[in-house]
Every structure is written in structure tokens, then in C-alpha cells.
């Protein structure tokens, strides 16, 4: 949901660009296919109807239907529809996909950064709990005995022996790098 909301401004710009594309090609269609032709009567009698016909054409729901009356009269009409489809499908749709993907990647980066910051904050809080005397609220050194108590408590929730062999000795070695028990 955040991804969609954060990409709304870029998507609106793209929709405006799509509107301009439809407007331009509808105006060209009104000139190329006047109301006296079958194509003009059926698909381009007015600007709004022409824009609607082109929008439906862009979805490829009626691709050959919109083009066939004009194509029967002149094979060159194919160029108009081909150009419209190329610009519409391969430019607008790809740009829309790129905008959404870019917003998604930005959101993933933000989430990853938030996760990292939260993890660091929680680790700092845990360290403060381990190095603060509960009675006097003074800072005390982190000893192996305190770590043993923490690991013993954690073993009730997580089986360290089966998940990570030698985890206790690895943690002890990291905590007590000097070997003096503090």
C-alpha cells in the first residue's frame, strides 16, 4: 500500500501524458478520418469518442476492429494505428511499470533501513539491560555469569544446541575476548 501511495505523483504525471497522447492522436484521427468516412462515423465522430476509441484500442481489446474500416480504404492508415500502438503500448505501459517498480525498490530500501535502525536500537536496549544493576540502576560490567543466565533463559524459548552447535562457546568467546570472565 505504501508503494502505491508513494508512486501516485509519478503515476498521475504519466496519466496526464497518456491523456495528451490520446488527445493528440484523436485530433490527428479526426483530420485523417473525417466524419464522411466509415472510420470517422464509427470511431472518430467527435474528440471524446475518438479518445475513447483510442483508449480501448490501447488495451488491445478491439485492436483490429478500430483499424479495419480505414485499412480497407487505404493501407497507409495502418501506419497511424501502428505508430499509436507502439507509442502507447511500448512507451506508456513500460514507463508505468518502471515507475511502480522504482517506487517499490525505494520502499524496500526504506524498510531495510528502518529494520536496521530498529535492530540496532533493540540491541542497545538489550545491552543496557544486561549492563545495568536492577537494584541500584548503575552500570556494571557484562560478565560471563550474566551471559550464562541470559543464554539459559533463551534456551527455554530456543534450542541453541540443535539450531547452532557451539553457539554458546562462540558467544562466550566474543563476549570474553580477554579470557578474564568479564
Amino acid at each position: 500500500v505504501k508503494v502505491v501511495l508513494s508512486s501516485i505523483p509519478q503515476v498521475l504525471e504519466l496519466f496526464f501524458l497518456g491523456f495528451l497522447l490520446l488527445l493528440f492522436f484523436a485530433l490527428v484521427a479526426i483530420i485523417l478520418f473525417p466524419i464522411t468516412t466509415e472510420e470517422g462515423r464509427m470511431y472518430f465522430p467527435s474528440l471524446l469518442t475518438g479518445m475513447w476509441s483510442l483508449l480501448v484500442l490501447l488495451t488491445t481489446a478491439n485492436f483490429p476492429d478500430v483499424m479495419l474500416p480505414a485499412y480497407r480504404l487505404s493501407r497507409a492508415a495502418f501506419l497511424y494505428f501502428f505508430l499509436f500502438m507502439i507509442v502507447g503500448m511500448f512507451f506508456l505501459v513500460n514507463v508505468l511499470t518502471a515507475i511502480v517498480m522504482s517506487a517499490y525498490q525505494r520502499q524496500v530500501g526504506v524498510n531495510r533501513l528502518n529494520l536496521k535502525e530498529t535492530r540496532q536500537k533493540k540491541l542497545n536496549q538489550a545491552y543496557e539491560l544486561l549492563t545495568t544493576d536492577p537494584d541500584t540502576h548503575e552500570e556494571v560490567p557484562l560478565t560471563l555469569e550474566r551471559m550464562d543466565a541470559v543464554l539459559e533463559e533463551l534456551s527455554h524459548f530456543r534450542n541453541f544446541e540443535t539450531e547452532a552447535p557451539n553457539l554458546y562457546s562462540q558467544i562466550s568467546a566474543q563476549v570474553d575476548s580477554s579470557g578474564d570472565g568479564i
Side-chain angles (χ1 to χ4, degrees), residues 10-11 13-22 24-25 58 60 81-100:
Q10 292 98 353
V11 171
E13 289 174 8
L14 185 66
F15 282 155
F16 181 70
L17 186 61
F19 173 78
L20 291 178
L21 175 80
L22 291 174
F24 173 76
F25 274 92
L58 191 57
T60 66
F81 291 103
F82 180 75
L83 184 63
F84 173 74
M85 293 299 290
I86 291 294
V87 171
M89 285 178 47
F90 296 111
F91 178 70
L92 283 180
V93 173
N94 286 339
V95 170
L96 177 65
T97 304
I99 287 171
V100 171

Side-chain angles (χ1 to χ4, degrees), residues 54-126:
L54 290 174
L55 179 63
V56 173
L57 176 64
L58 191 57
T59 66
T60 66
N62 66 346
F63 171 63
D65 296 345
V66 171
M67 181 179 84
L68 287 179
Y71 185 69
R72 274 189 237 126
L73 292 176
S74 169
R75 303 284 187 223
F78 171 77
L79 293 175
Y80 166 80
F81 291 103
F82 180 75
L83 184 63
F84 173 74
M85 293 299 290
I86 291 294
V87 171
M89 285 178 47
F90 296 111
F91 178 70
L92 283 180
V93 173
N94 286 339
V95 170
L96 177 65
T97 304
I99 287 171
V100 171
M101 189 64 189
S102 174
Y104 174 75
Q105 288 173 339
R106 255 192 327 274
Q107 189 61 42
V108 166
V110 167
N111 287 350
R112 192 174 290 144
L113 183 62
N114 287 343
L115 180 64
K116 187 176 180 179
E117 289 173 355
T118 301
R119 181 177 183 270
Q120 187 62 45
K121 181 180 172 186
K122 294 300 180 184
L123 282 172
N124 288 342
Q125 288 174 346

Side-chain angles (χ1 to χ4, degrees), residues 128-141:
E128 285 179 25
L129 283 173
L130 288 172
T131 58
T132 304
D133 188 306
D135 299 326
T136 63
H137 299 291
E138 293 179 4
E139 189 173 329
V140 294

